Amino acid sequence: MKPAPFAYHRVHSVEAALERLHELGEEAKPIAGGQSLAPLMAFRLARPTALVDISRLAELAHLARVGDELRVGALTRHATVESGAAQCGEGFEVLSRSARFIGHGPIRRRGTFGGSLAHGDPSAEWCLLALALDAVVIARDRAGERAIDAGDFFTGYFSTALAPDELLVEVRFPRPRPHSSLKEFSRRRGDFALVGVAVALDLDRAGRCEDVRIAFGGVDDVPVRVAAAERLLEGEPAEADAFRAAAELCGAELGRGLGDEDGRLKRRLMVELSVEALGEASAGVPG
Amino acid sequence: MSDLHLIAITVNGEAHEVAVDSRRTLADVLRHDLRLTGTHLGCEHGVCGACTVLLDGSPVRSCLVFGVQADGMEVETVEGLADDGTLGPLQQAFSEEGGLQCGFCTPGFLMLGTALLREHPDPTEEEIDDLVAANLCRCTGYAGIRRALLKAARGGATEGWPEPARVEDPRLLTGGGRFVDDVDRAGQLWMRVVRADLAAAEIVEIDAEAARQMEGVVAVLDATSLPDGFVIPIRLGPYEGDLTPFLQPVLAGAEVRYVGEPVAVVVAEDPYVAEDAAERVVTRYAPREPLLDSAQHGAEPAVTLRRGFGDADAAFAAADLVVEVDVRVGRHSAVPLETRGLVADWDTQARHLTVWGATKVPHFNRGALARLLGLGAEEITIRASDAGGGFGVRGELYPEDVLVTWLAMRFERPVKWIEDRSEHLVATNHSREQSRRLEGAFREDGSLLAVRDRVRHDNGAYLRTHGLLVPEMTLGMLLGPYRVDGYDGEAQVFLTNKTPAGTYRAPGRYEATFARERLLDKAAAALGMDPIALRRRNLLKARELPHHRPVPVLGHEVVIDDADFAGLLAETLKESNWSGWKKEAAKLRGEGRAIGVGFAYFLEKSGGGGFETARIDVLADGRLRVSSGATSLGQGVETVLAEVVCRELDVARADVAVVAGDTDLVEAGGGSWASRSTVYAGSAAQKAAQELRALLLEVASELLEADARDLELGAGAVEVRGSPSSRISFAELAARSDALANGRHGRPPGLSVTATFTDAPMTYPYGVHLAQVEVDRRSGAVSVLRYHVGYDVGTAISPRQVEGQLVGGAAQGIGGALLEEFTYDELGQPQSTTFIDYLLPTAAEVPDVTLTLLERGRAKGNPLGAKGAGEGGTTACGAAIAAAVDDALQRPGAILELPITPTRVMRLLAGEE
């Protein structure tokens, strides 16, 4: 389990990284924490011909609130988000709370936010939350920056809308979402979720749901929202019956493709986890 | 193609400049370039955490960092923790609290703990729990690690600990172990095995040309290059009929029978290059239909074993009630944290082969290798090494052992092979997979009259060294501690297109105990009896012992010589607060939670294998060196042997060194398996110590000109009783009984004795497992809330280690009951080839296991009175947890299959919706 050969390039600025990526072509990859890429390389499932090491680009390690928006630099470590509830600011607690589901301590201290998104594992926590919180991914190439909606970012199993010479530099969460939650089930603590769900909603004065997002991981090759269930909850009182109805709809919609016994388990998890997540989200930030 | 970079790193305060290829992991840089071998590789994909080091103060898995990425950074490893050889407080706490056994995962935990305590000198228990759950340990069951961290954090006192630390601990806690991958020989080559990627196929062609052309590749060889008769021999009977068609060739010739079967080997200058070349070897196959399930239509057993006694048919005819269960135990295995490996060095001039890494049965392996390689046994030395857990699978003679040694002779250069984790999961013995229908004939009062057992044993593609041992053992041990007059057992052994199977901790018994206890639970439900009352009725009573059962186990018929089955049960139920567990579960069920309790009784066996040798030498400085045919697999055998010798000769533990498993030091040996080390090696060490005492007294009586009966031996010296001035230390005795002096007295030179302990009958330890579990109705996941093991060990030489064996064994048994399974797709492709798919339990899945340890039934067959303790922690886990899940769901007899996965529980719950 030794990786295939590759050439290594360390860069000290984003510009240099972009130059390198451009020059090295399609088979080169940026590496930051390496917590997802290095295992794939050990199995030789990933065989980049070159790695561009961006891990020392301090300019990408920010975590800051700009107005309503939360900007997470690509190199922000999972552990920084986990312990940085204050930095994330009010309304983004779900990020800190969810970080604890990612692997174990040493993984969270080395793995990066941007790396997780760019890796595009459909059950990864940050991918789900990016989708549920309407995040925008900022990608840069030599020509400049573009913003990609999370909904357009994930294009397949472990693949994203990033071009080979593009670098994910930042993820922007547009506004606080105090009513949001992530729930997941894995057989062992710290493992990738068999099923995960992230939800976000707003409550009007009468306690009715608005702007609902329900995103699932582990059930398709990309994280997916269930629009029908979101619509079903729109304007409904934030109550258990409504949540269950929406959750059942999610199970029915996404569960269709899952035939066998594992599929039955996943359907059940989708329903139960989203009932819980919706309940927790509607209750708002604990304490 | 390499891409070299010169990097500067500081390791444990020392600056280094190293030229590294960009793909070289930090772990390999530390281990092989800087020779800091305390950082261990258990998976190379970031799951196990054994390779954890601190990088600029932060814990990282050094297998997931390329060395070049660490350029300019500061690295801390386990070698930096001890100050001038004095253990730091965390290391000391690990030793005192049983935080390590084999020591392979230990450096990773120590580095995690070091970082935690530096950042949070007063961590919460939750922080400690999180930390322990981050890495994998296969030996301890995590309780000792948790205790050690707590103790170090709280600055707990270290004085007054009743048991001294193990003799193994200082080296293992400082990165000073001698694991096989720590051995690098000058000029060594690396072997990489090319493995079959189809489950069943004829080999049409192996094209290795491209691989041979690669720079750094010395050779690529397939079966056509090997001598005839390169086949893995069976080590242990029974030998029923001609088994040769079922034996595994060292390299597949005409056909492959499982994914992972060796078809060729690459020999190269470097392990990275060897792997590159192995990828380029192209094998063309003509696929066949694989046989993957013994129940598949048309499957025929390779061998059928029949064992039994009495008239079972008559008993069934006369029974008030016949109960049957159809049960299945899934395929899982030992999966030690250190993979296998071997280093062989052939000295052409001296015609001598030296081998490192064959840790379990070195003398058997020496003999087998000698026969295959055309050498005399005296031309091979197998060196003692540390091993990162064995549990049955390590150290058997595998195809790779033959290849490495043969290649070393052929190329006249040292050859090294280190299995990687993906290989391990398809190449090293699997175990356990059995289905059986078990029927019991009962009287209305619950008496078990007879048992009929029909086993389908899936042994994978070949019979390896264990031959038919596991299916025979599962029949021989099925009846457990119960009185049964008629037994009709049959095991059909199927060879399927999956990895070959062998023994794993409590082989045959884990499976049989699950089946039997499920049967008894079902019978109790059918009879409306309390399950424990039903057991009590059938447990053998003291007056019925010794109880002879005419079924063979490891070549001996079962004789249960001494036991207090009912007493152990009563004591365990009381000490565990079983009735409290039961009440609590019932109360919580009333509140809507699915919580239940389960119980299982088991009979173990220990010993077997005829003999063991021990040798004791008095060294020039007066210390004693104890050598044994047993091997050090993490079970603490060195401590046990030291303990026995210290007691016999009244010397300090620091003055005893133990070498376990060096074939030059003891001429013959049995090895470490079947919970036999304490029984056999311990008894041999005791015998040798007694003989050494006599020799020391004899020599001293000559030197002191006193009658040996007037001499006293103690504290490393001999003196004339009542005359302290006559005192003569072992060192002086050694010096003054030099060869000449000895010669004058007609003795061989040296103060050295070798003793062999032979022919102990098998001993039968026994015990009870209790479990309290909760089922999550949303997911079907089962979590173990409480676990208790009651066990009668006869005599505990080292009680702390017995506890460690039982607690660690339970963690493995729980893994097999809930998490671990090797699965295959419909083409026979293995689906559990990483630590992401094969789920070893972490600390989060293992509860604190509590114990009732009795020393009641002193074994009669050995002078120590010891019964083995290696396996009883594991034996009944499947049975007890299954019973507890039944209870939690209030569905008696529902669980018939292990592991109890969420999917399987959901299948049961689906009926409830």
Side-chain angles (χ1 to χ4, degrees):
Chain A
M1 286 178 56
K2 310 294 185 188
F6 60 85
Y8 172 85
H9 305 271
R10 185 181 306 135
V11 291
H12 297 281
S13 69
V14 172
E15 288 67 32
L18 297 174
E19 283 301 328
R20 279 291 191 197
L21 286 172
H22 178 76
E23 150 200 325
L24 292 165
E26 284 194 15
E27 302 303 320
K29 261 189 174 299
I31 186 166
Q35 301 300 285
S36 302
L37 183 57
L40 284 182
M41 290 174 68
F43 292 119
R44 299 195 175 201
L45 293 171
R47 339 176 43 121
T49 53
L51 289 184
V52 176
D53 185 352
I54 58 168
S55 63
R56 300 187 192 200
L57 304 185
E59 58 193 295
L60 296 184
H62 57 279
L63 176 66
R65 192 72 182 265
V66 179
D68 260 357
E69 203 170 68
L70 178 70
R71 297 185 176 180
V72 186
L75 292 187
T76 302
R77 314 263 184 204
H78 308 314
T80 309
V81 180
E82 184 182 16
S83 61
Q87 267 171 288
C88 295
E90 257 176 60
F92 291 105
E93 293 80 0
V94 68
L95 294 172
S96 304
R97 281 205 310 270
S98 305
R100 69 191 162 88
F101 290 117
I102 303 172
H104 296 282
I107 301 282
R108 296 199 287 274
R109 293 175 68 139
R110 189 150 175 90
T112 64
F113 202 95
S116 174
L117 259 78
H119 183 60
D121 186 312
S123 58
E125 291 75 11
W126 297 149
C127 297
L128 286 190
L129 284 166
L131 197 59
L133 303 182
D134 298 310
V136 174
V137 175
I138 307 299
R140 198 185 297 172
D141 65 9
R142 292 190 310 159
E145 267 184 18
R146 65 173 176 138
I148 310 166
D149 284 342
D152 300 324
F153 184 73
F154 304 105
T155 55
Y157 200 58
F158 292 136
S159 52
T160 70
L162 288 173
D165 62 350
E166 243 179 345
L167 198 62
L168 188 163
V169 292
E170 190 177 83
V171 182
R172 293 183 186 161
F173 292 91
R175 64 184 179 94
R177 287 284 246 172
H179 292 291
S180 50
S181 165
L182 180 138
K183 295 281 171 191
E184 65 176 56
F185 172 76
S186 61
R187 290 183 63 194
R188 276 187 317 189
R189 168 113 62 96
D191 283 0
F192 271 103
L194 193 62
V195 173
V197 60
V199 304
L201 48 85
D202 295 338
L203 293 177
D204 71 7
R205 287 203 186 136
R208 286 184 298 252
C209 301
E210 290 181 335
D211 229 354
V212 181
R213 299 283 180 277
I214 309 176
F216 289 95
V219 297
D220 203 343
D221 59 3
V222 291
V224 281
R225 279 172 55 187
V226 185
E230 293 173 354
R231 274 199 307 275
L232 186 71
L233 273 179
E234 211 62 38
E236 289 295 312
E239 285 166 8
D241 288 352
F243 292 157
R244 182 149 294 270
E248 296 284 357
L249 184 58
C250 292
E253 286 264 316
L254 291 179
R256 242 180 259 142
L258 309 167
D260 57 1
E261 289 200 311
D262 290 331
R264 174 156 64 198
L265 172 60
K266 283 193 172 187
R267 273 197 303 279
R268 171 110 178 206
L269 286 169
M270 275 187 275
V271 174
E272 299 301 328
L273 293 172
S274 43
V275 167
E276 273 178 40
L278 287 163
E280 185 177 278
S282 67
V285 182
Chain B
M1 183 192 84
S2 60
D3 176 50
L4 284 178
H5 299 260
L6 185 67
I7 62 166
I9 52 174
T10 304
V11 184
N12 303 325
E14 201 176 316
H16 297 270
E17 285 201 342
V18 201
V20 296
D21 189 358
S22 44
R23 62 169 161 164
R24 201 161 175 82
T25 61
L26 177 59
D28 279 344
V29 172
L30 293 169
R31 292 182 49 75
H32 297 294
D33 298 335
L34 302 181
R35 294 294 306 154
L36 292 168
T37 53
T39 298
H40 297 150
L41 284 168
C43 73
E44 292 188 284
H45 56 283
V47 179
C48 79
C51 67
T52 303
V53 300
L54 305 188
L55 191 59
D56 280 351
S58 183
V60 299
R61 290 166 180 181
S62 60
C63 71
L64 297 188
V65 178
F66 297 111
V68 62
Q69 290 181 289
D71 187 16
M73 299 176 89
E74 216 163 294
V75 181
E76 292 167 78
T77 71
V78 67
E79 286 90 349
L81 295 184
D83 194 12
D84 272 344
T86 309
L87 297 184
L90 183 60
Q91 292 163 307
Q92 187 65 33
F94 264 71
S95 179
E96 287 169 6
E97 293 298 331
L100 74 161
Q101 286 180 24
C102 78
F104 194 77
C105 71
T106 312
F109 279 104
L110 287 173
M111 297 321 289
L112 278 183
T114 298
L116 176 77
L117 296 177
R118 220 179 260 170
E119 290 167 21
H120 305 278
D122 191 19
T124 63
E125 289 207 22
E126 199 192 339
E127 282 172 316
I128 289 178
D129 287 347
D130 274 354
L131 177 137
V132 180
N135 284 5
L136 295 174
C137 169
R138 195 56 162 164
C139 297
T140 65
Y142 302 105
I145 298 174
R146 199 182 286 131
R147 280 196 308 265
L149 282 158
L150 261 176
K151 185 179 219 176
R154 308 285 184 255
T158 59
E159 303 86 38
W161 186 251
E163 280 287 314
R166 307 183 317 156
V167 301
E168 294 88 344
D169 287 351
R171 69 169 189 269
L172 295 173
L173 285 162
T174 54
R178 307 153 299 180
F179 296 91
V180 60
D181 189 30
D182 303 346
V183 177
D184 278 329
R185 307 294 292 171
Q188 80 193 1
L189 297 168
W190 290 76
M191 179 181 93
R192 174 85 187 172
V193 180
V194 179
R195 298 181 182 279
D197 49 18
L198 291 179
E202 277 167 50
I203 297 177
V204 178
E205 187 195 25
I206 299 174
D207 180 0
E209 243 355 89
R212 284 195 189 99
Q213 298 309 319
M214 292 175 70
E215 196 185 323
V217 172
V218 172
V220 183
L221 302 168
D222 61 26
T224 57
S225 308
L226 297 186
D228 287 340
F230 258 29
V231 168
I232 299 305
I234 290 177
R235 179 167 72 83
L236 292 158
Y239 301 93
E240 303 226 344
D242 176 17
L243 301 179
T244 49
F246 313 131
L247 302 184
Q248 177 162 14
V250 166
L251 287 177
E255 56 165 355
V256 295
R257 298 196 195 172
Y258 64 97
V259 173
E261 180 164 5
V263 297
V265 280
V266 172
V267 187
E269 303 283 349
D270 170 279
Y272 287 73
V273 172
E275 193 165 337
D276 296 343
E279 279 190 312
R280 301 260 188 107
V281 177
V282 180
T283 309
R284 287 208 304 119
Y285 293 106
R288 287 188 197 149
E289 192 71 27
L291 174 67
L292 299 169
D293 185 345
S294 63
Q296 205 165 307
H297 182 71
E300 290 288 336
V303 179
T304 300
L305 300 176
R306 292 193 179 78
R307 302 287 183 266
F309 54 84
D311 191 345
D313 289 346
F316 272 91
D320 295 328
L321 172 75
V322 171
V323 176
E324 62 175 48
V325 287
D326 283 292
V327 293
R328 179 178 178 277
V329 178
R331 177 172 271 258
H332 63 274
S333 197
V335 191
L337 267 203
E338 184 199 17
T339 57
R340 289 181 297 137
L342 211 74
V343 177
D345 195 342
W346 169 246
D347 182 332
T348 311
Q349 277 77 37
R351 274 190 66 77
H352 198 88
L353 183 70
T354 307
V355 179
W356 292 261
T359 310
K360 177 176 179 177
V361 284
H363 288 88
F364 172 85
N365 286 13
R366 180 182 64 169
L369 286 172
R371 275 191 299 281
L372 288 163
L373 301 172
L375 295 173
E378 73 287 355
E379 292 175 304
I380 302 178
T381 299
I382 292 184
R383 290 274 177 240
S385 39
D386 283 310
F391 319 117
V393 301
R394 179 188 307 285
E396 292 292 334
L397 190 81
Y398 284 88
E400 294 88 351
D401 299 51
V402 182
L403 290 167
V404 171
T405 49
W406 180 73
L407 290 166
M409 291 176 68
R410 170 158 173 159
F411 293 103
E412 300 187 355
R413 282 175 70 180
V415 174
K416 177 168 181 170
W417 169 71
I418 300 297
E419 183 180 55
D420 73 30
R421 183 54 66 186
S422 282
E423 285 184 290
H424 178 89
L425 293 170
V426 298
T428 297
N429 285 346
H430 288 182
S431 198
R432 301 272 199 257
E433 186 174 1
Q434 281 185 355
S435 307
R436 70 212 298 162
R437 166 166 294 187
L438 190 63
E439 295 172 90
F442 293 86
R443 250 204 308 264
E444 207 175 359
D445 66 0
S447 305
L448 176 57
L449 305 170
V451 170
R452 193 178 287 131
D453 188 12
R454 294 289 178 268
V455 183
R456 277 183 301 128
H457 175 89
D458 183 335
N459 206 70
Y462 296 101
L463 299 181
R464 285 180 174 167
T465 50
H466 295 117
L468 299 167
L469 174 69
V470 178
E472 182 182 66
M473 187 105 76
T474 207
L475 296 175
M477 293 295 292
L478 176 87
L479 299 176
Y482 305 110
R483 180 190 317 104
V484 180
D485 293 333
Y487 177 49
D488 165 14
E490 181 186 290
Q492 295 183 321
V493 181
F494 290 87
L495 297 185
T496 57
N497 293 107
K498 296 186 283 194
T499 296
T503 64
Y504 167 37
R505 206 170 198 171
R509 288 93 79 189
Y510 187 87
E511 304 89 315
T513 300
F514 176 66
R516 180 192 66 238
E517 296 297 298
R518 295 276 66 202
L519 178 80
L520 295 181
D521 281 341
K522 188 171 177 186
L527 290 163
M529 275 180 86
D530 176 74
I532 292 181
L534 181 121
R535 263 77 168 195
R536 281 210 180 95
R537 172 163 302 279
N538 291 295
L539 285 172
L540 287 161
K541 293 187 170 38
R543 61 178 157 73
E544 296 172 285
L545 304 183
H547 175 77
H548 172 236
R549 213 174 256 166
V551 283
V553 168
L554 277 177
H556 303 259
E557 291 196 341
V558 175
V559 179
I560 303 169
D561 58 355
D562 192 81
D564 179 7
F565 292 125
L568 176 81
L569 176 59
E571 199 124 345
T572 304
L573 293 177
K574 189 167 138 237
E575 217 172 281
S576 63
N577 186 27
W578 169 252
S579 59
W581 292 19
K582 253 176 103 164
K583 275 190 209 121
E584 180 186 48
K587 178 170 163 283
L588 292 169
R589 277 200 304 274
E591 295 168 10
R593 289 171 67 181
I595 295 184
V597 296
F599 144 97
Y601 215 116
F602 68 95
L603 182 72
E604 253 303 323
K605 53 143 285 297
S606 96
F611 75 99
E612 192 53 87
T613 313
R615 166 175 163 180
I616 310 178
D617 301 291
V618 182
L619 305 176
D621 60 4
R623 288 182 311 123
L624 306 180
R625 183 181 68 180
V626 184
S627 313
S628 172
T631 60
S632 193
L633 290 154
Q635 81 281 46
V637 67
E638 294 171 43
T639 299
V640 169
L641 300 184
E643 196 73 21
V644 167
V645 170
C646 289
R647 282 185 198 178
E648 283 300 324
L649 293 173
D650 187 25
V651 289
R653 267 255 301 265
D655 292 333
V656 179
V658 180
V659 182
D662 185 310
T663 57
D664 279 358
L665 294 178
V666 293
E667 188 41 45
S672 286
W673 47 285
S675 297
R676 74 188 293 280
S677 299
T678 299
V679 172
Y680 274 91
S683 298
Q686 186 186 41
K687 199 171 168 201
Q690 286 163 352
E691 289 176 18
L692 181 63
R693 165 188 283 271
L695 176 62
L696 289 167
L697 290 175
E698 182 189 325
V699 172
S701 98
E702 286 155 11
L703 292 173
L704 297 171
E705 296 178 348
D707 191 309
R709 280 167 300 185
D710 297 331
L711 298 179
E712 219 169 41
L713 184 149
V718 181
E719 64 185 44
V720 179
R721 195 170 291 114
S723 166
S725 62
S726 66
R727 183 183 162 83
I728 180 165
S729 71
F730 288 1
E732 276 175 86
L733 283 172
R736 291 173 62 183
S737 66
D738 59 21
L740 216 58
N742 274 334
R744 278 201 300 275
H745 290 93
R747 272 194 308 272
L751 289 178
S752 175
V753 296
T754 298
T756 302
F757 176 73
T758 54
D759 203 26
M762 192 85 75
T763 73
Y764 291 91
Y766 54 95
V768 175
H769 282 206
L770 309 174
Q772 189 192 51
V773 307
E774 175 158 22
V775 179
D776 175 4
R777 286 180 180 274
R778 285 174 332 170
S779 64
V782 177
S783 42
V784 182
L785 306 176
R786 301 175 191 280
Y787 208 87
H788 190 93
V789 177
Y791 194 69
D792 181 355
V793 70
T795 303
I797 307 298
S798 175
R800 188 71 189 204
Q801 294 212 87
V802 173
E803 291 172 26
Q805 285 292 309
L806 293 173
V807 171
Q812 291 187 344
I814 290 169
L818 297 176
L819 293 166
E820 298 175 38
E821 189 171 24
F822 291 109
T823 56
Y824 290 82
D825 74 5
E826 65 282 3
L827 295 173
Q829 289 296 330
Q831 304 296 295
S832 320
T833 59
T834 73
F835 270 177
I836 301 157
D837 305 299
Y838 188 85
L839 304 181
L840 294 179
T842 75
E845 286 77 43
V846 180
D848 265 334
V849 176
T850 50
L851 299 174
T852 299
L853 189 60
L854 296 188
E855 298 181 63
R856 186 155 297 178
R858 200 183 146 83
K860 294 192 167 62
N862 66 77
L864 299 171
K867 298 177 175 179
E871 299 168 274
T874 306
T875 318
C877 290
I881 290 172
V885 173
D886 278 3
D887 188 45
L889 300 176
Q890 293 290 291
R891 310 236 324 231
I895 299 295
L896 297 168
E897 184 171 13
L898 298 178
I900 309 167
T901 60
T903 302
R904 287 172 184 147
V905 172
M906 280 329 253
R907 192 190 302 155
L908 285 173
L909 292 177
E912 289 182 6
E913 280 169 354

